[in-house]
Structures are given as structure tokens and as C-alpha cells.
């Protein structure tokens, strides 16, 4: 009777480890997806900063203006006033200095978020490795029992 309880307990424990492993894998995939999203926003933010700095250096006679979705229109850029979309797609005029401050603020927030995601992902991967070792040990133990 005691042996039967131990076997059932081992099966339940193995099932819990498998469930924990599956859950951690889901978490790792979700964290990776979030990190990629933040990374894309950081790249976009850097592109905005570079474009704003370039526009201030010289007047651009002709340039390509992105419309979105890989579509551009060629035109003259004569203004140094930038426009930022607000709530309800209202266009708010922003001077270069204000734009660069906003870009820096966003960048700081995104870098902090990215670092937090990277740290959490590292912890999750460590947990995954530990759970994987536990599963391997349990499987080896089962194989050893079957041979007896």
C-alpha cells in the first residue's frame, strides 16, 4: 500500500514539473515577444531622433516623406516645426527642442522596460533549465525502475 502511494505521488510530482515547465516556456515566449516589440520601438525612436537632428542641420531641397506602409512621396521639407499626433489624431506643433526632449523621455522609458524584460527573461530561462534538469532526472529514474 505504501509503495502504491509513493508511485502515485511521484506521478503527480512529475506532472507538476511538466506543467511548470510548459508554463515557463509560455512565459519565455511571451517575454521574448514583448522584448522584440520594445526593441522595434527603440529603433523607431532612434530614427526619429536622427531625422530631427538632420533636418536642423541643413535645408533639404528634396526628400522622401514616408506615408506609411513602405510608401513615400517626394517633396520639399521647408519647415523646422514638427507635428506630433495627439489624442483623436489631433496634430500638435512641436519645436525641435521639445521633440528631442520627448524622444529622450520615451527612450529612457523604453530602455528601462527592455532591461526589466531582459532580466525577467534571464530568470525564466534559468527556471526552465532547472525544470528541464528535474524532468531529465525523473525520466532517468523511471527508466532505471523499469529495468529492475
Amino acid at each position: 500500500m505504501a509503495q502504491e502511494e509513493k508511485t502515485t505521488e511521484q506521478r503527480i510530482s512529475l506532472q507538476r514539473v511538466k506543467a511548470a515547465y510548459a508554463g515557463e516556456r509560455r512565459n519565455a515566449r511571451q517575454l521574448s515577444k514583448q522584448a522584440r516589440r520594445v526593441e522595434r520601438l527603440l529603433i523607431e525612436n532612434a530614427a526619429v531622433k536622427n531625422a530631427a537632428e538632420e533636418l536642423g542641420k541643413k535645408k533639404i531641397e528634396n526628400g522622401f516623406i514616408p506615408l506609411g506602409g513602405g510608401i513615400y512621396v517626394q517633396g520639399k521639407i521647408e519647415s523646422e516645426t514638427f507635428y506630433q499626433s495627439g489624442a483623436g489624431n489631433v496634430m500638435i506643433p512641436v519645436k525641435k527642442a521639445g521633440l528631442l526632449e520627448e524622444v529622450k523621455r520615451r527612450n529612457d522609458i523604453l530602455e528601462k522596460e527592455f532591461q526589466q524584460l531582459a532580466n525577467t527573461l534571464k530568470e525564466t530561462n534559468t527556471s526552465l533549465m532547472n525544470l528541464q534538469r528535474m524532468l531529465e532526472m525523473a525520466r532517468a529514474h523511471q527508466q532505471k525502475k523499469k529495468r529492475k
Side-chain angles (χ1 to χ4, degrees), residues 19-131:
Y21 183 79
E24 286 295 289
R25 283 190 57 157
R26 281 191 300 275
N27 287 344
R29 280 194 299 269
Q30 186 64 29
L31 288 167
S32 292
K33 186 186 285 187
Q34 290 173 357
R36 285 191 303 273
R37 179 188 58 82
V38 171
E39 191 173 32
R40 282 192 303 270
L41 290 172
L42 280 166
I43 291 168
E44 181 180 309
N45 212 39
V48 169
K49 180 182 180 228
N50 290 340
E53 287 173 344
E54 275 302 308
L55 285 175
K57 289 181 182 175
K58 57 185 174 186
K59 291 285 184 195
I60 298 175
E61 290 297 317
N62 275 315
F64 291 101
I65 304 164
L67 298 177
I71 306 298
Y72 295 81
V73 64
Q74 190 171 10
K76 289 183 181 181
I77 301 171
E78 297 173 350
S79 175
E80 286 192 32
T81 300
F82 299 89
Y83 293 89
Q84 182 176 358
S85 63
N89 288 329
V90 174
M91 301 307 278
I92 303 165
V94 181
K95 291 287 181 186
K96 180 181 172 181
L99 174 69
L100 292 175
E101 283 177 26
E102 175 65 17
V103 167
K104 182 179 178 352
R105 186 188 69 78
R106 285 182 189 176
N107 202 62
D108 291 346
I109 291 169
L110 289 169
E111 283 180 351
K112 184 178 178 181
E113 183 178 351
F114 186 79
Q115 190 59 49
Q116 288 172 340
L117 286 167
N119 290 340
T120 305
L121 186 58
K122 184 178 177 181
E123 291 169 6
T124 301
N125 284 333
T126 299
S127 178
L128 270 171
M129 286 189 299
N130 291 336
L131 288 167

Side-chain angles (χ1 to χ4, degrees), residues 1-13 145:
M1 185 73 156
Q3 181 65 24
E4 186 177 307
E5 285 179 23
K6 190 175 182 181
T7 305
T8 303
E9 190 176 302
Q10 287 173 340
R11 251 186 268 134
I12 291 170
S13 180
K145 282 180 82 175

